[in-house]
């Protein structure tokens, strides 16, 4: 096993493995301290970052942080590597790659061509030596477009997941949230419900309701009930109208096993969704969620830092050709991301890594109420991710998820971000908003409830 080292001011720092080097180069976060892998102080972190900057990118193809023999995610990463796409940067070090990414030569087309040649550990390593502005600038140059009933990820666009959660899955309460969100221009990424019950009858009822709303008002969007992939497969077998299959994924085989999934099951779910042919514009049929700390919380991190493991989850996502990928950045709690500063950094890292790997990356900009964070921190991260070109964010009434009990972004937050950054919804959804008098051609909301929704709540409920 190679040894990694760097000298600062006459002191020689040794790092016994690539996993140790990566962990100690990571900007500080509580989860790495919890795992016992963090740098002991800022000097050790700086030494690790310098050693990492000098490491050839190609080294990650030969020194796996999680063993190849025992982990199917590692095998997916190594066996699926596109050597031809990697060739233009194969001679670079991590530091040299960062410098190239910041240059004008790394334009949108070059980054699109490169995506399949990069593996998660390469982009995770690069993120560790980037400042926040580097993460924003580089990610802003990457454009990833996906389609189901509309087009997501285009330049100058910001989409939202309309999240009408309800603690008892009450149809009237969900319908009210859907109407509220649509009036504020939310829902072009997906109308996605976290069900209070994971039962098949409950999911069936919600999916039929969502299908009715979308069909009745001819909304160019897609629905999703965030139930386990095995449930979705069974629902499809029963001819329930499933648009998009949801699943949480992680960066190691053991962590995915804790979610009750493996790569074969994800492929089965994708095939089931494709068999329905419900997409009118494209065949991206999966919505995947991730989050730093999930592998550590399952005891399945293999001594690897949480940000590197998170990036590995994007290899799992990439093979699924998803419509949407979402890092739920502050949801697990302060044990993993302690405060607003750490949440902000993690959100920018995750977005950067996902985009470079070719994913339609969004972010649930969120925190739990026992974190050292507040809504001002979320405003900052929302603005930074909007500049960085995030594909989508969450939209939920009042930023407060009364079912999952955490704080996220509101319907109003999407209006703010679009207004201040000059962004617009997905084009097909934008046209629907304008044609129905919900928005005007300048993106301004109507002063009155549009006629389309005058009886919507009663009709749906």
């Amino acid at each position: 096993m190679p040894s990694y080292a760097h000298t600062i001011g006459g002191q020689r720092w040794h790092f016994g493995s690539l996993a140790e080097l990566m962990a100690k180069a990571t900007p500080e976060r509580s989860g790495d301290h919890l795992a016992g892998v963090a740098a002991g102080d800022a000097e050790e972190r700086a030494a690790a970052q310098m050693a990492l900057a000098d490491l050839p990118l190609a080294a990650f193809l030969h020194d796996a942080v999680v063993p190849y023999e025992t982990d199917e995610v590692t095998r997916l990463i190594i066996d699926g590597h596109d050597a031809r796409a990697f060739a233009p940067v194969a001679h670079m070090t991590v530091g040299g790659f960062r410098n190239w990414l910041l240059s004008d030569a790394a334009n949108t087309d070059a980054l699109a061509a490169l995506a399949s040649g990069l593996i998660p550990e390469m982009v995770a390593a690069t993120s560790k030596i980037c400042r926040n502005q580097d993460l924003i600038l580089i990610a802003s140059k990457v454009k990833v477009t996906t389609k189901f009933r509309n087009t997501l990820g285009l330049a100058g666009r910001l989409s939202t997941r309309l999240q009408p959660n309800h603690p008892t899955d009450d149809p009237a309460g969900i319908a009210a949230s859907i109407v509220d969100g649509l009036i504020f221009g939310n829902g072009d990424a997906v109308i996605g419900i976290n069900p209070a019950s994971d039962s098949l009858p409950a999911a069936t009822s919600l999916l039929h309701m969502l299908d009715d709303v979308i069909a009745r008002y001819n909304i160019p969007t897609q629905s999703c009930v965030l139930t386990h992939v095995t449930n979705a497969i069974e629902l499809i077998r029963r001819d329930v109208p499933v648009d998009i299959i949801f699943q949480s994924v992680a960066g190691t085989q053991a962590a995915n096993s804790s979610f009750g999934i493996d790569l074969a099951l994800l492929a089965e779910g994708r095939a089931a969704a494709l068999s329905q042919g419900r997409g009118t514009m494209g065949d991206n049929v999966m919505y995947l969620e991730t989050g730093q700390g999930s592998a550590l919380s399952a005891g399945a991190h293999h001594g690897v830092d949480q940000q590197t493991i998170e990036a590995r989850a994007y290899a799992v996502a990439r093979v699924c050709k998803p419509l949407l990928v979402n890092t739920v950045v502050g949801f697990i709690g302060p044990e993993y991301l302690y405060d607003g500063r750490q949440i902000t950094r993690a959100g920018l890292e995750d977005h950067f890594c996902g985009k470079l790997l070719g994913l339609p990356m969004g972010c649930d900009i969120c925190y739990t109420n026992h974190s050292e964070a507040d809504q001002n921190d979320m405003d900052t991260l929302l603005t930074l991710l909007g500049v960085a070109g995030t594909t989508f964010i969450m939209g939920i009434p009042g930023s407060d998820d009364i079912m999952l009990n955490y704080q996220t972004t509101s319907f109003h937050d999407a209006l703010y971000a679009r207004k201040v950054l000059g962004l617009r919804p997905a084009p097909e959804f934008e046209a629907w908003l304008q044609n129905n008098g919900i928005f005007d051609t300048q993106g301004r909301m109507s002063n009155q409830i549009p006629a389309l929704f005058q009886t919507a709540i009663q009709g749906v409920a």
Side-chain angles (χ1 to χ4, degrees):
M1 181 179 294
S3 178
Y4 305 91
H6 193 82
T7 301
I8 298 180
Q11 180 173 353
R12 187 74 169 168
W13 296 90
H14 291 274
F15 308 98
S17 66
L18 181 56
E20 181 184 354
L21 176 66
M22 294 276 277
K24 292 191 173 179
T26 305
E28 187 174 19
R29 63 208 60 203
S30 53
D32 290 340
H33 284 290
L34 179 65
V37 300
D41 55 30
E43 186 175 6
E44 185 179 23
R45 184 173 301 110
Q49 289 172 342
M50 291 178 182
L52 189 60
D54 290 338
L55 189 68
L57 284 178
F60 295 97
L61 298 173
H62 309 294
D63 189 0
V65 296
V66 180
Y68 179 94
E69 296 76 14
T70 59
D71 188 272
E72 69 170 1
V73 177
T74 300
R75 294 193 291 274
L76 172 71
I77 290 167
I78 299 302
D79 297 347
H81 180 246
D82 185 341
R84 179 171 297 183
F86 180 58
V89 299
H91 64 287
M92 294 183 184
T93 63
V94 172
F97 183 53
R98 168 192 171 272
N99 293 341
W100 178 80
L101 288 171
L102 290 167
S103 75
D104 291 336
N107 57 30
T108 298
D109 290 342
L111 293 173
L114 180 62
S116 63
L118 298 176
I119 67 170
E121 290 84 351
M122 292 175 186
V123 297
T126 307
S127 75
K128 296 175 192 297
I129 63 168
C130 284
R131 292 172 55 185
N132 285 1
Q133 67 173 247
D134 300 339
L135 300 175
I136 294 166
L137 173 60
I138 294 165
S140 73
K141 298 192 285 185
V142 182
K143 308 302 175 191
V144 180
T145 303
T146 57
K147 297 182 179 183
F148 188 76
R149 290 200 190 101
N150 57 18
T151 309
L152 303 174
L154 294 170
R157 307 280 176 170
L158 174 65
S159 296
T160 63
R161 169 189 163 192
L162 201 172
Q163 189 172 327
N165 294 347
H166 192 280
T168 63
D169 289 340
D170 177 64
I174 291 172
S177 292
I178 291 173
V179 171
D180 192 17
L182 291 170
I183 289 172
F184 280 92
N186 283 248
D188 50 338
V190 66
I191 303 176
I193 301 173
N194 295 90
S197 167
D198 208 28
S199 72
L200 291 176
T204 299
S205 176
L206 291 172
L207 285 164
H208 278 294
M209 174 187 173
L210 291 173
D211 188 54
D212 180 57
V213 169
I214 290 171
R216 180 180 303 187
Y217 300 107
N218 198 28
I219 308 171
T221 191
Q222 37 281 327
S223 69
C224 184
V225 170
L226 280 66
T227 189
H228 194 270
V229 61
T230 53
N231 286 347
I233 292 169
E234 177 60 21
L235 291 166
I236 290 169
R237 190 189 69 79
R238 298 181 185 187
D239 293 324
V240 177
V242 177
D243 285 347
I244 305 298
I245 285 188
F246 166 81
Q247 185 55 50
S248 294
V249 299
T252 70
Q253 180 176 334
N256 283 322
S257 294
S258 76
F259 292 150
I261 63 167
D262 58 20
L263 298 178
L265 181 59
L266 291 173
E268 181 183 351
R270 180 171 182 268
L274 288 171
S275 71
Q276 296 193 114
R278 294 179 60 81
T280 57
M281 295 189 64
D283 61 358
N284 299 115
V285 294
M286 298 193 79
Y287 170 27
L288 305 173
E289 285 191 345
T290 67
Q292 288 194 27
S294 61
L296 174 58
S297 69
H301 62 294
H302 295 270
V304 181
D305 69 274
Q306 66 184 38
Q307 189 257 335
T308 298
I309 292 293
E310 168 70 6
R312 284 169 52 93
Y314 305 151
V316 176
R318 183 164 60 178
V319 77
C320 296
K321 300 180 181 178
L323 180 75
L324 304 163
V325 179
N326 176 38
T327 171
V328 191
V329 70
F331 183 73
I332 303 182
E335 300 85 358
Y336 304 92
L337 295 169
Y338 180 72
D339 56 15
R341 179 182 180 184
Q342 292 186 12
I343 291 170
T344 296
R345 175 69 190 190
L348 294 176
E349 289 169 346
D350 294 351
H351 180 257
F352 166 94
C353 291
K355 290 286 283 293
L356 279 181
L357 291 168
L359 291 175
M361 205 68 196
C363 185
D364 190 343
I365 301 162
C366 64
Y367 64 102
T368 59
N369 286 314
H370 62 311
S371 298
E372 291 295 322
D374 60 24
Q375 213 63 39
N376 288 324
D377 295 310
M378 302 305 103
D379 288 348
T380 300
L381 180 53
L382 167 63
T383 306
L384 295 176
L385 285 170
V387 175
T390 192
T391 299
F392 72 109
I393 61 170
M394 304 299 111
I396 198 163
S399 307
D400 184 10
D401 192 321
I402 59 174
M403 200 278 282
L404 294 175
N405 294 311
Y406 77 114
Q407 310 304 310
T408 180
T409 44
S410 72
F411 300 149
H412 303 74
D413 291 333
L415 282 181
Y416 150 75
R418 287 169 176 164
K419 179 69 69 176
V420 75
L421 298 174
L423 303 172
R424 296 148 58 195
E428 302 84 358
F429 191 80
E430 181 182 43
W432 178 83
L433 292 171
Q434 293 171 1
N435 292 340
N436 287 283
I438 301 170
F439 279 15
D440 66 16
T441 55
Q442 273 69 54
R444 296 174 298 204
M445 288 178 60
S446 172
N447 291 326
Q448 298 179 338
I449 295 178
L452 181 72
F453 295 131
Q454 292 292 340
T455 59
I457 297 176
Q458 296 92 329
V460 172

